[in-house]
């Protein structure tokens, strides 16, 4: 009868017929009074969402608190029920508030012993007869080792639950240690590893160092070769989850190997890692192509939504954002990513107050959802509410200790407020966490520029451009940094270098706007200082074609005309007498220049600028940016315009 009931219970469980399975499991428990059957019944209640009933079954049979009858699986299930019921103190009472020291040592010993036995039997081809007492002893030892390993896995899972409890209590340092202990105890405890990477609890350097400390060789499979292959496979999978700001070559090798040897080139997790890498490199179109293809096959894969939304925002696809946000709000109002999508849409159409409301809603639904917190803070930065933005970014620093982005944005806000010392402090802190983000170096270069440390400023801008090239980033995304470098050269009177940088910026700049006008003015000033008056006059006219009332361009044009007259020996009177001749020559030069510009416009390529361009004091442009990275919007601020202060126009 017992076997009949167990088979019936298993069949109902396989069909997800929980009511039937619970009905049969209850009768089987009454028949056997076996703790294993009690555990089965509690598991079925848990799977059906009846967490309180599952706890009742475990407590009724004294499977949790009895010191003489402790089963790790029962303790884990009881604690998990408490977590689901938001009784975190009760869960910690079952789990304990720290990881027992003996677990790591015991786990390694047990696993290595089992691995040696398994590989030894496979290598030697050991076979035993039915009556062999030696065979029975070996079999008993193997069963005991397997049971120890199973208990160890539950110990690791309990470390993971302990971390969840501490995270819910905002004790993120303790949560991080618990997650790390869980993966150390059982390297296959992926949920703990995922919490570390998804919530940015470790910096990029710490993530890669932690990966190297993990004992992947402890993974046990059938045979030595299989165990080694499994260990390498798991390590490559974990590598794809790490920060894309560090070791992109190792990441690419892992993805290539998984794609070629294990047929995972179209796996969503691998594609998500590729999209994150493209986003880090500012290759928004390539990242969007990947996310769109995956979401077309699996429309509600919510792990893809933060990157997908950020790419749509960067590429100004507000119509797509509108449709996606409406569909998600209709079908999945319970998901934080849904209201993130609504917030990003309102941000894209510049309705900042509405965007802030939905970012706030998303962050309240999931307090550890980094994109929602960053978006919420950006809304204050966009409106120039620097104090509120600083407060929101400060909260993000506390919640997401391993990411440099909140510190970077704090530095940007203090830079907007001309608090150069605080800006330098936060940006230096961001650099320590992630020294491979070109935007951090760009912002540090701006700080040194404003402090008149031009040599140091130039070095930061050059290092930023070098890093962008090393990570294979889109070159047009860093036009702001190149323009900043040109301004440093201009102030250092290194005219030819400054002119080279400004020409490169104008060549790659996709459209004419206020930023274009300022760059052209800077180029004209450099040409004027080099004594190339006619070219500088053409440059100032080009700037005035974009913004006819700009006072800087008008003043510089008047000065250029005057210096050109002096150079020609006209003097003021002569210039007036030959005004018609001068205007004809200027018109001819402008026609040539305009034809050249039109050709460049047709042949040039697009791209989005990133980073802060050195601007005049009091510029209201946002330095916060729009978020970037594992779920982040682009970190570059709005493309602010280069303008020269009064003391910089003539040097």
């Amino acid at each position: 009868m017992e076997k009949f009931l167990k088979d019936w219970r298993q069949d109902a469980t396989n069909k997800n017929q929980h009511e039937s399975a619970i009905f049969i499991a209850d009768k089987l428990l009454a028949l056997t009074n076996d703790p294993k059957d009690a555990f089965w019944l509690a598991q079925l209640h848990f799977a059906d969402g009846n967490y309180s009933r599952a706890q009742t079954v475990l407590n009724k049979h004294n499977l949790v608190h009895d010191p003489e009858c402790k089963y790790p699986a029962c303790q884990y299930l009881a604690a998990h029920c408490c977590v689901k019921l938001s009784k975190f103190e009760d869960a910690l009472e079952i789990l304990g508030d720290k990881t027992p020291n003996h677990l790591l040592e015991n786990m390694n010993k047990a696993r290595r012993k089992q691995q040696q036995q398994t590989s030894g039997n496979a290598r030697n081809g050991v076979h035993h007869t039915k009556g062999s007492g030696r065979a029975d002893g070996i079999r008993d030892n193997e069963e005991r080792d397997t049971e120890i390993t199973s208990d160890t896995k539950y110990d690791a899972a309990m470390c993971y639950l302990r971390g969840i409890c501490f995270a819910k209590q905002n004790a993120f340092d303790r949560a991080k240690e618990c997650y790390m202990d869980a993966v150390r105890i059982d390297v296959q405890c992926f949920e703990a590893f995922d919490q570390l990477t998804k919530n940015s609890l470790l910096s990029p350097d710490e993530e890669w160092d932690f990966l190297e400390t993990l004992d992947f060789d402890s993974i046990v499979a059938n045979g030595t070769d299989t165990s080694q292959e499994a260990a390498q496979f798991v390590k490559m999978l974990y590598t794809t989850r790490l920060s894309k700001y560090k070791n992109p070559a190792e990441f690419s090798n892992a993805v290539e190997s998984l794609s070629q040897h294990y047929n995972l080139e179209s796996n969503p997790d691998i594609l998500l890692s590729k999209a994150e890498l493209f986003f880090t490199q500012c290759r928004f179109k390539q990242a969007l192509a990947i996310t769109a293809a995956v979401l077309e096959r699996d429309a509600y894969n919510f792990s893809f939504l933060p990157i997908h939304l950020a790419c749509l925002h960067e590429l100004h696809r507000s119509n797509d954002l509108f449709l996606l946000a409406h569909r998600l709000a209709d079908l999945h109002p319970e998901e934080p990513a849904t209201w993130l999508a609504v917030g990003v849409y309102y941000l894209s159409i510049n309705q900042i107050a509405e965007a802030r409301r939905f970012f706030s809603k998303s962050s309240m639904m999931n307090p550890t959802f980094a994109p929602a917190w960053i978006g919420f803070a950006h809304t204050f930065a966009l409106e120039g509410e620097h104090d509120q933005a600083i407060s929101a970014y400060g909260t993000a620093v506390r919640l997401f200790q391993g990411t440099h982005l909140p510190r970077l944005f704090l530095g940007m806000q203090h830079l907007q407020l001309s608090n150069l010392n605080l800006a330098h402090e936060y940006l230096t802190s961001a650099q320590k966490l992630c020294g491979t983000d070109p935007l951090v170096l760009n912002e540090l270069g701006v700080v040194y520029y404003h402090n008149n440390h031009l040599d140091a400023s130039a070095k930061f801008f050059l290092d930023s451009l070098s890093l962008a090239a090393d990570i294979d980033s889109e070159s047009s995304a860093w036009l702001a940094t190149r323009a900043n470098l040109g301004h440093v050269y201009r102030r250092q009177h290194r005219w030819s270098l400054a002119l080279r940088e400004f020409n490169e910026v104008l060549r790659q700049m996709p459209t004419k706007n206020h930023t274009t006008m300022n760059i052209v003015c800077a180029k004209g000033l450099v040409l004027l200082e080099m004594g190339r008056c006619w070219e500088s006059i053409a440059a100032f006219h080009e700037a005035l074609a974009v913004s006819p009332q700009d006072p800087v361009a008008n003043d510089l044009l008047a000065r250029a005309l005057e210096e050109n007259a002096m150079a020609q020996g006209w003097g003021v009177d002569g210039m007036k007498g030959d005004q018609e001749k001068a205007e004809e020559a200027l018109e001819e030069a402008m026609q040539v220049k305009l034809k050249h510009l039109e050709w460049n416009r047709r042949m040039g390529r697009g791209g989005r600028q990133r980073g802060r361009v050195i601007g005049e004091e009091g510029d209201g442009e946002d330095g916060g940016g729009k978020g970037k990275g594992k779920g982040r919007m682009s970190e570059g601020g709005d493309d602010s315009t280069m303008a020269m202060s009064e003391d910089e126009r003539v040097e």
Side-chain angles (χ1 to χ4, degrees):
M1 180 60 68
E2 291 181 20
K3 186 178 185 308
F4 166 71
L5 292 177
K6 288 180 179 180
D7 291 342
W8 189 0
R9 179 187 66 186
Q10 185 64 55
D11 180 65
T13 301
N14 293 340
K15 296 176 181 176
N16 288 320
Q17 296 176 349
H18 292 142
E19 290 296 330
S20 298
I22 290 171
F23 177 78
I24 300 304
D26 180 63
K27 307 306 177 287
L28 180 61
L29 177 60
L31 181 65
T32 64
N33 200 30
D34 189 339
K36 293 182 179 179
D37 293 326
F39 177 66
W40 253 96
L41 179 59
Q43 279 188 311
L44 291 170
H45 281 307
F46 184 90
D48 201 36
N50 298 322
Y51 308 120
S52 297
R53 291 192 68 185
Q55 278 187 313
T56 301
V57 171
L58 293 172
N59 291 330
K60 179 180 178 181
H61 291 81
N62 208 17
L63 298 178
V64 179
H65 299 290
D66 186 0
E68 297 182 358
C69 185
K70 277 193 175 182
Y71 298 96
C74 296
Q75 289 179 295
Y76 170 77
L77 184 59
H80 206 171
C81 290
C82 291
V83 170
K84 291 293 186 180
L85 295 170
S86 298
K87 298 179 179 179
F88 304 115
E89 290 293 341
D90 293 345
L92 287 174
E93 184 178 347
I94 296 172
L95 298 168
D97 60 355
K98 59 182 179 180
T99 305
N101 293 327
H102 67 278
L103 284 179
L104 289 171
E105 298 178 1
N106 290 349
M107 181 276 300
N108 287 333
K109 290 179 181 178
R111 285 199 161 195
R112 291 193 180 283
K113 181 178 179 182
Q114 184 180 12
Q115 187 178 28
Q116 290 172 2
Q117 289 179 345
T118 303
S119 61
N121 291 342
R123 183 173 57 253
N124 298 326
V126 177
H127 300 284
H128 301 282
T129 61
K130 284 186 179 180
S132 172
R134 178 181 174 82
D136 293 339
I138 292 176
R139 193 157 42 246
D140 291 341
N141 289 337
E142 290 178 350
E143 291 176 357
R144 182 167 59 253
D145 290 338
T146 302
E147 183 177 353
I148 292 173
T149 301
S150 177
D151 289 346
T152 302
K153 286 182 175 292
Y154 277 109
D155 288 330
M158 285 192 284
C159 285
Y160 161 71
L161 286 183
R162 192 179 296 116
I164 292 291
C165 293
F166 285 133
K168 293 294 185 180
Q169 295 175 343
N170 293 331
F172 296 104
D173 287 331
R174 301 188 70 180
K176 177 176 71 174
E177 291 301 324
C178 290
Y179 294 144
M180 293 175 71
D181 286 342
V183 185
R184 290 190 187 107
I185 293 170
D186 178 16
V187 76
Q188 295 172 256
C189 187
F190 173 75
E191 296 234 356
F193 185 82
D194 188 48
Q195 288 293 323
L196 288 169
T197 56
K198 181 174 65 177
N199 295 324
S200 300
L201 294 178
L202 298 174
S203 68
D205 287 334
E206 289 175 336
E207 286 183 354
W208 285 91
D209 291 343
F210 179 62
L211 182 73
E212 294 302 321
T213 65
L214 296 180
D215 187 13
F216 291 99
D217 292 335
S218 63
I219 294 176
V220 177
N222 294 326
T224 305
D225 294 338
T226 306
S227 295
Q228 292 176 350
E229 182 182 6
Q232 188 63 25
F233 178 77
V234 174
K235 185 175 183 178
M236 288 188 294
L237 285 178
Y238 282 15
T239 299
T240 64
R241 309 288 294 193
L242 302 184
S243 172
K244 308 307 182 292
Y245 283 103
K246 189 175 177 63
N247 297 335
E250 291 191 29
F251 166 79
S252 300
N253 291 337
V255 170
E256 183 179 358
S257 180
L258 290 169
S259 300
Q260 291 181 353
H261 302 299
Y262 299 99
N263 197 29
L264 295 179
E265 65 273 5
S266 59
N267 181 265
D269 289 323
I270 302 301
L271 292 176
L272 176 59
S273 297
K274 288 183 178 180
E276 289 175 346
L277 180 62
F278 281 135
F279 192 82
T280 302
Q281 297 172 340
C282 308
R283 297 172 176 266
F284 305 120
K285 291 183 180 179
Q286 291 94 321
L288 181 62
I290 292 175
T291 58
V294 173
L295 290 173
E296 186 177 353
R297 299 193 300 267
D298 184 5
Y300 305 107
N301 189 332
F302 294 106
S303 62
F304 275 81
L305 282 178
I307 292 290
H308 186 68
L309 295 171
C311 291
L312 290 175
H313 178 69
E314 289 287 352
L315 298 172
H316 309 291
R317 305 273 287 273
S318 57
N319 289 339
D320 293 336
L321 282 168
F322 176 83
L323 293 174
L324 178 60
H326 263 280
R327 186 167 67 248
L328 289 171
D330 289 340
L331 298 177
H332 294 281
E334 76 286 352
E335 286 291 333
T338 295
W339 306 110
L340 175 71
V342 178
V344 172
Y345 165 70
Y346 279 116
L347 190 67
S348 69
I349 61 173
N350 206 33
Q351 293 190 17
I352 306 302
E354 289 296 316
R356 181 183 303 126
R357 184 162 68 90
F358 288 105
F359 285 141
S360 177
K361 181 174 182 178
S362 178
S363 65
M364 287 190 292
M365 294 178 70
N366 181 3
T368 60
F369 192 33
W373 276 105
I374 297 297
F376 178 70
H378 284 342
T379 59
F380 290 114
L382 285 167
E383 290 184 334
E385 299 289 345
H386 299 296
D387 291 339
Q388 290 91 332
I390 288 171
S391 176
Y393 287 133
T395 302
V397 168
R398 182 174 57 83
L399 292 176
F400 314 111
Q401 302 172 7
T403 177
H404 68 292
L405 296 178
R407 292 172 173 82
L408 170 62
F409 299 145
L410 278 170
M412 287 178 161
Q413 291 303 303
H414 284 294
L415 190 54
Q416 289 284 313
L417 294 171
S418 298
N419 298 330
L420 298 182
N421 290 334
L422 284 174
H424 182 268
E425 181 180 340
Y426 280 113
L427 292 172
T428 302
S429 175
Q431 185 187 20
K432 290 179 180 177
L433 283 177
C434 181
T436 54
D437 186 352
L439 187 59
V440 176
L441 301 184
N442 176 75
E443 297 302 313
L444 281 168
V446 175
V447 171
Y448 280 97
Y449 179 93
H450 286 299
N451 282 325
N452 295 318
H453 299 153
L454 299 182
D455 290 338
S457 178
K459 184 179 185 305
F460 275 112
F461 292 141
L462 288 170
D463 288 346
S464 177
L465 293 172
S466 176
L467 268 178
D470 289 343
I471 65 174
D472 200 23
S473 180
E474 187 69 36
S475 61
S476 60
W478 303 102
L479 294 181
T481 304
R482 193 171 293 279
N484 290 342
L485 181 60
H487 286 298
V488 174
Y489 288 150
R490 177 180 60 81
R491 290 189 61 186
Q492 291 178 327
H493 296 188
R494 301 165 72 179
W495 309 120
S496 59
L497 292 176
L499 184 61
R500 183 191 67 188
E501 299 300 333
F502 290 140
N503 282 333
E504 182 65 19
V505 171
L506 292 172
R507 185 184 68 81
Q508 297 189 46
M509 194 164 284
T511 58
K512 291 183 179 180
N513 51 31
H514 191 64
T515 302
T516 309
M517 185 272 298
N518 284 322
I519 298 298
V520 173
C521 275
K523 174 185 173 181
L525 180 58
V526 171
L527 289 169
L528 189 59
E529 294 289 352
M530 296 174 72
R532 297 159 64 175
C533 297
W534 276 109
E535 294 180 62
S536 69
I537 291 171
F540 295 136
H541 273 286
E542 182 184 340
L544 288 169
V546 178
S547 180
Q549 304 301 322
D550 185 75
V552 174
N554 278 295
D555 290 346
L556 289 173
L557 176 60
R559 178 191 162 190
L561 289 170
E562 181 179 348
E563 290 200 8
N564 183 65
M566 296 298 182
Q568 298 295 332
W570 296 341
V572 177
D573 293 336
M575 182 178 64
K576 291 180 179 178
D578 295 336
Q579 183 175 5
E580 184 176 348
K581 180 180 178 181
E583 288 180 354
E584 289 177 359
L586 178 61
E587 180 67 19
E588 182 180 351
M590 286 300 299
Q591 289 298 327
V592 174
K593 184 67 175 178
L594 288 174
K595 288 181 181 178
H596 182 66
L597 289 171
E598 179 65 15
W599 185 85
N600 277 345
R601 184 185 69 78
R602 293 179 181 177
M603 300 301 292
R605 62 193 178 90
R608 175 167 173 81
Q609 303 173 51
R610 291 167 51 83
R612 184 189 310 284
V613 184
I614 296 167
E616 62 185 357
E617 294 185 3
D619 186 2
E621 296 289 334
D622 169 42
K626 306 187 175 60
K628 175 182 175 186
K630 262 172 208 194
R632 106 196 208 205
M633 295 193 266
S634 145
E635 67 232 85
D638 287 346
D639 290 337
S640 54
T641 59
M642 189 291 301
M644 291 166 288
S645 60
E646 293 293 336
D647 60 339
E648 290 184 26
R649 294 179 189 168
V650 181
E651 296 185 9

